[in-house]
Amino acid sequence: MKERYPRLEINLSALSHNVREVVNACAEQGVSLTGVIKGVTGIPEVTKVFADGGVDIIGSSRLEQLRDAKDHGIEKPLMLLRIPMLSEIQEVVSLCTYSLNSEMAVLEALNLEATKQAKVHSVVLMVDLGDLREGFWDKDELVEAALKVENEMDSLYLAGIGTNVGCYGSVLPTVDKLEELVALANIIETKIERKLDIVSGGATSSLMRIIDKNVPKGINSLRVGEAILLARDLWLFYDYNVDNLRKDVFTLQAEVIESKVKPSHPQGEIGVDAFGKKPVYIDRGMRKRALIAIGKVDYGDPSELFPKDAGIEIIGASSDHTILDIEDYDGELKPGDILEFDINYASLVYLTNCKNVRIVFCED
Ligand SMILES: *Cc1c(COP(=O)(O)O)cnc(C)c1O
């Protein structure tokens, strides 16, 4: 049988290497790791590599992905990263050891449901240190909630506190920011007269503190996805050296369906494109171009794909087609040829979520 395209090839040995590198780098500084699987829509084979590579907890924003992990025999504790919806409380309690929280009403619902299921559910209270996504903003309210969980909610266990930066507000996990989190943990620990198990200092961007070896004492946990899966952001946006991490875990392969010489400027009266936009077209004369059978429906935005071959430029896309300028490509392209692309986080989340894209696994 012929291979079907488009395909997303996942190199499990490269992935395993990255999991171990990040786990070890964190462990050296007393930081344990939650491996975050939402970037690949929780593909169970990927989750298994995370688990085998030594992460302590498997985390996702989506219960469906955590359910998949469990159904595939993953035995690590599971953590729901997005604040639970009241409509999903029952499954949060039955499935997850941990959830991240910021609302008293949700904590109360979790406590009730855990009592009903005769379970103890562990919660991490989120603090908003300025990124302005989730978390308690009022620090007194945070401490009050912590005390309430500790003293009044018999079926909840206050596992710790955490923060998230660099997601909405683009705030950096500086030493100062993370020290704010440790200070809040200390206040709570004094009041409850015990240590918190988890002080969770953020996501991939907080690995900057691990690489610089200046993670404040007291931060003992991070929740990392992107650096393990792609290892692009720290290097691309912050110029951090992550040469020890492999960038070749994912390769997108798409099939050429047309290859012709055409004008580079549309011919006729110009209206709007398939998505109602008015792109600017530059007239570069007649050019060699190719069409591949993949489009915005599959990956979101064509600027998030990176051709592996020199001389290939993505010039546009509609739902199901991507248009390439191949004038400078060294060689001929014809229908049936396969082209390869690197991807980033944005295209990865779409591609793994798309049922038209075949996921295949390889090893070195
Ligand atoms: C997605 C997410 C993470 C992981 O983020 P990466 O940048 O992929 O490491 C960590 N924590 C929370 C709350 C998240 O939603």
Side-chain angles (χ1 to χ4, degrees), residues 248-269:
D248 61 344
V249 176
F250 301 96
T251 307
L252 174 65
Q253 300 168 333
E255 184 169 339
V256 175
I257 53 172
E258 185 185 294
S259 178
K260 294 185 190 306
V261 176
K262 292 192 186 184
S264 41
H265 198 275
Q267 310 279 296
E269 269 183 63

Side-chain angles (χ1 to χ4, degrees), residues 14-190:
L15 178 69
S16 172
H17 169 85
N18 286 0
V19 175
R20 285 161 213 272
E21 286 286 318
V22 176
V23 165
N24 291 340
C26 289
E28 270 173 30
Q29 292 174 64
V31 170
S32 78
L33 211 66
T34 295
V36 177
I37 59 170
K38 69 184 191 214
V40 285
T41 316
I43 295 170
E45 288 83 353
V46 169
T47 308
K48 186 163 185 315
V49 173
F50 272 65
D52 292 347
V55 303
D56 285 310
I57 299 171
I58 296 292
S60 177
S61 47
R62 313 248 171 185
L63 282 179
E64 293 82 355
Q65 298 171 13
L66 297 172
R67 165 64 61 200
D68 264 0
K70 183 138 194 192
D71 289 348
H72 282 76
I74 306 289
E75 285 173 354
K76 297 278 178 186
L78 304 177
M79 176 185 272
L80 180 64
L81 298 176
R82 187 169 65 186
I83 308 303
M85 293 184 264
L86 283 173
S87 60
E88 65 185 358
I89 295 293
Q90 191 182 352
E91 192 163 16
V92 175
V93 170
S94 64
L95 186 63
C96 303
T97 305
Y98 300 95
S99 59
L100 305 184
N101 284 276
S102 67
E103 285 285 354
M104 215 52 229
V106 176
L107 289 163
E108 274 159 13
L110 285 169
N111 185 44
L112 263 179
E113 181 62 31
T115 306
K116 211 186 279 176
Q117 295 186 25
K119 282 191 156 180
V120 173
H121 180 72
S122 295
V123 296
V124 174
L125 301 186
M126 294 300 275
V127 192
D128 189 335
L129 295 178
D131 198 58
L132 308 184
R133 200 177 72 181
E134 75 275 42
F136 288 93
W137 181 252
D138 184 324
K139 307 310 177 277
D140 295 332
E141 196 186 326
L142 165 79
V143 175
E144 206 176 297
L147 290 177
K148 231 179 184 153
V149 171
E150 177 76 3
N151 299 323
E152 295 171 32
M153 299 187 155
D154 291 343
S155 300
L156 295 188
Y157 174 66
L158 178 66
I161 66 171
T163 196
N164 198 67
V165 291
C167 271
Y168 169 72
S170 319
V171 167
L172 285 169
T174 55
V175 172
D176 284 356
K177 273 287 162 216
L178 295 186
E179 276 172 351
E180 275 183 57
L181 183 67
V182 175
L184 288 165
N186 290 340
I187 290 170
I188 293 168
E189 287 172 341
T190 305

